[in-house]
């Protein structure tokens, strides 16, 4: 092969590498906190952020959005951004201070949203669908939606209604269709939805299992990977 041909191939490979799309963040996480009920388990910011890999890769960039789930469709959203740090030229001690301050900011926000008393109604699905759709538009290598809630919808569709509860158990696709008629999450390929909740008792366990199963089925339909757990443990 001629030298000129080899040079052309090298240049082409370099151009291809330079033109490859790059994500804006290494990880993006949206945290939805249910304020409609008093939660018996309330995760700390460190429990949600450190599993992203910040301990092993402190230079990574992260976007965090925190939003309450209330008795309304429209709720405030608080966004915090941790910019990428250069692992070679950055100051490691300074970076640890930046990380600590970043986690404290998110924790302060979570503390301000911790429910003190239950609300009469809870609009859960539509705000979550909105957050999922917004997260899907974020340019990030990994994207997580963490929902801290008992998932007991109490709006136009009320899971507390005996007839609705019966339908949830025996014909969940019917309830799923009703929810989708209100809002569709859109393409959620590449999104991981984490449902975090610890039932108070055996009596509390059944409604949550039914509701989380519905969320598993509904959001998987749009391409999301759904996890039901007490803790946020994403795979590296």
């Amino acid at each position: 092969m001629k030298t000129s041909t080899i040079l052309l191939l090298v240049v082409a490979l370099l151009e291809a590498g330079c033109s490859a799309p790059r994500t804006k963040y290494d990880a993006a996480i949206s945290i939805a906190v249910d304020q409609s009920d008093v939660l018996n388990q309330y995760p700390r910011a460190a429990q949600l952020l450190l599993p992203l890999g910040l301990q092993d890769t402190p230079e990574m960039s992260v976007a965090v959005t925190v939003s309450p789930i209330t008795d309304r469709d429209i709720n405030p959203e608080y966004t915090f951004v941790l910019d990428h740090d250069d692992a070679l030229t950055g100051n490691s001690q300074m970076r640890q201070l930046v990380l600590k301050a970043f986690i404290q900011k998110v924790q302060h926000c979570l503390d301000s949203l911790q429910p003190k008393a239950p609300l009469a109604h809870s609009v859960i699905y539509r705000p979550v669908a909105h957050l999922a759709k917004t997260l899907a538009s974020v340019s990030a290598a990994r994207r997580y939606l963490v929902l801290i809630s008992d998932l007991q919808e109490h709006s136009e569709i009320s899971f507390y209604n005996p007839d609705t509860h019966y339908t949830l158990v025996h014909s969940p696709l019917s309830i799923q269709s009703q929810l989708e008629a209100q809002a569709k999450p859109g393409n959620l390929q590449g999104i991981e939805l984490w449902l975090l909740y610890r039932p108070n008792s055996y009596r509390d366990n059944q409604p949550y299992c039914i509701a989380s199963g519905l969320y598993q089925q509904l959001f998987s339909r749009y391409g999301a990977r759904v996890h039901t757990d007490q803790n946020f443990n994403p795979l590296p």
Side-chain angles (χ1 to χ4, degrees), residues 156-168:
E156 298 90 337
I157 300 172
S158 177
F159 291 1
Y160 296 100
N161 182 292
D163 292 335
T164 303
H165 180 77
Y166 181 88
T167 306
L168 273 171

Side-chain angles (χ1 to χ4, degrees), residues 29 31-34 37-51 66 103 106-115 146-150 194-198 229-233:
I29 178 170
I31 305 167
V33 182
D34 191 349
D37 282 302
V38 177
L39 303 170
N40 63 1
Q41 184 184 34
Y42 203 78
R44 306 288 296 174
Q47 293 174 315
L48 297 173
L49 301 184
L50 292 181
V66 181
I103 292 173
V106 177
Q107 183 61 56
H108 178 73
C109 183
L110 288 172
D111 288 342
S112 70
L113 299 179
Q114 187 165 357
V146 176
L147 175 54
I148 305 166
S149 170
D150 63 0
W194 284 77
L195 307 175
L196 302 187
Y197 181 69
R198 184 179 66 192
D229 209 326
Q230 292 187 27
N231 301 299
F232 180 55
N233 296 305

Side-chain angles (χ1 to χ4, degrees), residues 53-61 82-83 85 95-96 99:
L54 286 168
Q55 287 179 313
D56 298 328
T57 316
E59 68 274 8
M60 68 185 294
S61 58
L82 179 68
D83 292 322
D85 189 45
R95 184 60 173 181
Q96 290 302 320
L99 286 178

Side-chain angles (χ1 to χ4, degrees), residues 22 39 47-48 58 65 69-71 79 81 83 89 106 118 122-123 147 157 159 163 193 199 204 221 224-225 234:
R22 294 184 178 182
L39 303 170
Q47 293 174 315
L48 297 173
T65 297
I69 298 295
T70 66
D71 54 1
T79 300
V81 173
D83 292 322
T89 61
V106 177
S122 54
V123 181
L147 175 54
I157 300 172
F159 291 1
D163 292 335
L193 171 61
D204 188 35
R221 167 179 162 82
R225 292 176 57 195

Side-chain angles (χ1 to χ4, degrees), residues 102-224:
F102 182 74
I103 292 173
Q104 286 177 341
K105 281 183 181 179
V106 177
Q107 183 61 56
H108 178 73
C109 183
L110 288 172
D111 288 342
S112 70
L113 299 179
Q114 187 165 357
K116 302 297 189 297
L119 300 175
H121 293 84
S122 54
V123 181
I124 301 175
Y125 169 72
R126 293 193 298 266
V128 171
H130 165 74
L131 286 172
K133 184 178 291 188
T134 301
L135 180 61
S137 68
V138 176
S139 175
R142 292 174 291 139
R143 291 170 294 178
Y144 307 97
L145 174 55
V146 176
L147 175 54
I148 305 166
S149 170
D150 63 0
L151 305 180
Q152 299 307 301
E153 185 84 20
H154 189 31
S155 56
E156 298 90 337
I157 300 172
S158 177
F159 291 1
Y160 296 100
N161 182 292
D163 292 335
T164 303
H165 180 77
Y166 181 88
T167 306
L168 273 171
V169 175
H170 298 282
S171 184
L173 285 177
S174 175
I175 301 299
Q176 178 177 322
S177 297
Q178 292 178 48
L179 292 173
E180 288 178 292
Q182 295 181 347
K184 289 183 171 61
N187 185 355
L188 300 182
Q189 290 290 337
I191 301 291
E192 288 193 27
L193 171 61
W194 284 77
L195 307 175
L196 302 187
Y197 181 69
R198 184 179 66 192
N200 288 312
S201 62
Y202 178 79
R203 183 179 180 180
D204 188 35
N205 182 65
Q206 186 201 31
Y208 180 71
C209 287
I210 294 170
S212 61
L214 176 71
Y215 270 69
Q216 174 95 33
Q217 183 170 298
L218 196 160
F219 283 89
S220 295
R221 167 179 162 82
Y222 290 91

